[in-house]
Amino acid sequence: MGDRDILVDGRTCSAGARWDATPRPVQYIPGPPELLFGVDEVVGTSAETLGRMTLNPLMYTADGVSPGALGVFADTAIGSAAVAYRPSGGWAATTELTMDFCAPIPAAGGFLHACGRTAHRYATGAVATGTITDDTGSTVAVVTERVQFSTAAPRPRELPAGRSATPAGEGLAQRLGLRDAGAGLELDVVDPVINPGGSLHGGVALYASDRAAGQAIAGRAPGLETAMMNAVYLRPGPAGQTVRFDVDIEYIGRSSALAVVRSTRTDGKVCTVVTITYRRRRDDSVRRG
């Protein structure tokens, strides 16, 4: 282990330095993406971050809800634990986010709860881990997120007062502006999909990727469900540009499938690479929490 590594439990690194492991308060900056995806609150410290998400009926379609709809919640609620160690006046960008889904997303109208903590930090970034549970305490997803610190200050944005997150008659995908583009989808990077850094929110990119791949998988292997998503964030999708989400199905069988979704911005450069595993759900006699 190098002399720039920091362990949050306060253990001494190889160079003999002892780093401050005092929990840092999280800073929750709600914006249009959090409002749209039902993120109600994020509180706590780097040692324990708690969040709550309302399951908005507008996230649900005739086929259910895309698990990628939890991306904004995971990125915001659990990632905040790692972001708490950002430099003074700075912020952090997500570089990798993994979600393993353990149980179905409950019906609309209830809540999901997130609990996260910083698992490791170093000079230029940190890793957070956590779980998302339903109202009964059952684990819906296990999350791991890596962030890279930045000296750029976040840009807080005012939320619309007294206005519904989604206009009547529109579903979540329509409100985001997701639209068909050949074999994939595309999205304009405008409100309500912009993060405090001024680019496409990483959780929105996760949702769009899951929607694009889900459409491709459903047409060839009905009944498969999202089991795992791993997103690698390579570069931002700048505000004002259009981002495309193109799907490559790497494998498809009777009980599983694997898809890779690449998002590219207007200049053709890749923004995100999302690998999604699909499994056929089995009825379990015991639902594990």
Side-chain angles (χ1 to χ4, degrees), residues 160-198:
R163 183 168 67 86
S164 171
T166 305
E170 287 191 354
L172 181 59
Q174 290 75 26
R175 181 66 180 92
L176 292 172
L178 272 175
R179 56 188 180 271
D180 291 334
L185 299 173
E186 66 181 16
L187 175 67
D188 296 328
V189 185
V190 296
D191 276 338
V193 305
I194 299 174
N195 65 17

Side-chain angles (χ1 to χ4, degrees), residues 55 86 109 112 135 140 154 166 212 235 285-286:
L55 289 166
R86 70 197 184 284
L112 291 177
D135 284 329
V140 174
T166 305
R235 54 176 60 86
S285 58
V286 177

Side-chain angles (χ1 to χ4, degrees), residues 75 79 82-84 86-87 90-97 122 124-127 145-152 154 195-202 232-236:
D75 186 43
V83 176
R86 70 197 184 284
W91 199 238
T94 303
T95 59
E96 190 165 359
L97 175 62
Y122 45 99
T124 58
V127 178
E145 180 169 354
R146 183 182 294 270
V147 304
Q148 181 174 338
F149 301 141
S150 168
T151 57
N195 65 17
S199 58
L200 179 62
H201 195 293
V232 178
Y233 298 89
L234 302 175
R235 54 176 60 86

